[in-house]
Amino acid sequence: MIATLLVAAAMAGWVDAVVGGGGLLLLPALLLAAPHLPLATALGTNKLAAICGTSTAAFTYARRTTIDWAVAGPAAALAMLCAGCGAALAGAIPASAYRPVVLAVLIAVAVFVTVRPQMGLREHAEKRTPWRRGLAVAVAGAGVATYDGLIGPGTGTFLVLAFTTIVGADFVHGSAMAKIVNTATNLGALIVFAATGNVAWLIGLGMAVCNIAGAVLGARMALHRGAGFVRIVLLVVVLALIVRLGWDQFTIRS
């Protein structure tokens, strides 16, 4: 059980640092390796490990590339509040209510990224208008952050796509801003889960160490290999999310 969780945490840290979606690996591994944990506790423990990785990746990106703080700053502040609200509602909304919606969005994302191969490969500064910045803050800081508090997997991917499509960031800079906001969403959710006693601290801290190692490696690879590499990882993660959610939907209906 311990070996499975540590390996999954390291892999999730790498995926999260590059493009987001590490929860696709970490949360299922946690639920499989520790089936005795209630869902809320699994979510809280996942946030403990994830915040260590995302904050490490955010620091790595901030040291080596420029970040549009006019977007990332307000989005992060709003995201911390909204993720906390989402965490407070975790368990109140059945997964069956949102799974089809998220699945449809992911399929649309996969098609969109595939048919637009140049998207995210370079920055489009002309999109940095005040209203687009405001829209990006609202989408990332409120919509995506609330989803992260509720369940989480795919949050980083949605954030990267929001910053890429709305304010014209390339995938590397979009991922950098996503890490700032994702750190805030993890913190907001973690505070709520910890306050309600839904964190397995010993398991979470062990996973956090491996998550940090994976995050450092992932962030450095993304910065070194550039937007084309991030785009490929993005497509792989989105397709994996589609398969996972589609399988869940199919097995529940069966």
Side-chain angles (χ1 to χ4, degrees):
M1 179 190 76
I2 294 175
T4 298
L5 290 176
L6 295 182
V7 171
M11 294 174 63
W14 186 91
V15 172
D16 257 339
V18 176
V19 75
L24 173 70
L25 298 171
L26 195 53
L27 186 57
L30 192 56
L31 292 173
L32 288 172
H36 61 284
L37 289 179
L39 177 60
T41 304
L43 290 169
T45 306
N46 175 53
K47 291 304 177 191
L48 173 59
I51 191 174
C52 295
T54 52
S55 60
T56 300
F59 179 73
T60 302
Y61 276 113
R63 286 181 58 196
R64 301 192 178 197
T65 190
T66 57
I67 293 176
D68 187 349
W69 289 103
V71 176
L78 180 60
M80 183 174 172
L81 174 63
C82 291
C85 292
L89 296 173
I93 301 175
S96 58
Y98 63 79
R99 188 182 292 110
V101 177
V102 176
L103 185 57
V105 171
L106 284 169
I107 292 173
V109 166
V111 173
F112 185 71
V113 175
T114 301
V115 301
R116 297 189 64 182
Q118 297 304 312
M119 187 192 76
L121 296 184
R122 65 182 184 88
E123 285 198 285
H124 293 273
E126 70 276 6
K127 290 187 176 182
R128 301 290 174 90
T129 60
W131 79 268
R132 278 182 173 270
R133 280 192 164 110
L135 179 61
V137 169
V139 170
V144 179
T146 301
Y147 164 76
D148 190 30
L150 280 168
I151 188 69
T155 294
T157 305
F158 291 139
L159 289 172
V160 172
L161 288 169
F163 294 132
T164 302
T165 57
I166 298 174
V167 292
D170 63 29
F171 281 132
V172 171
H173 290 89
S175 189
M177 290 192 287
K179 294 296 131 321
I180 302 294
V181 178
N182 208 177
T183 298
T185 65
N186 286 332
L187 179 58
L190 178 61
I191 289 172
V192 173
F193 285 125
T196 54
N198 285 308
V199 178
W201 292 98
L202 288 179
I203 296 175
L205 289 172
M207 292 164 61
V209 174
C210 293
N211 199 255
I212 289 172
V216 171
L217 179 61
R220 289 180 177 177
M221 287 184 69
L223 288 165
H224 177 68
R225 299 197 176 187
F229 170 73
V230 177
R231 180 180 182 274
I232 293 172
V233 177
L234 172 67
L235 277 172
V236 171
V237 170
V238 168
L239 290 174
L241 280 166
I242 289 171
V243 171
R244 171 61 195 276
L245 288 173
W247 175 258
D248 288 348
Q249 186 71 11
F250 175 77
T251 53
I252 287 174
R253 287 192 172 185
S254 300

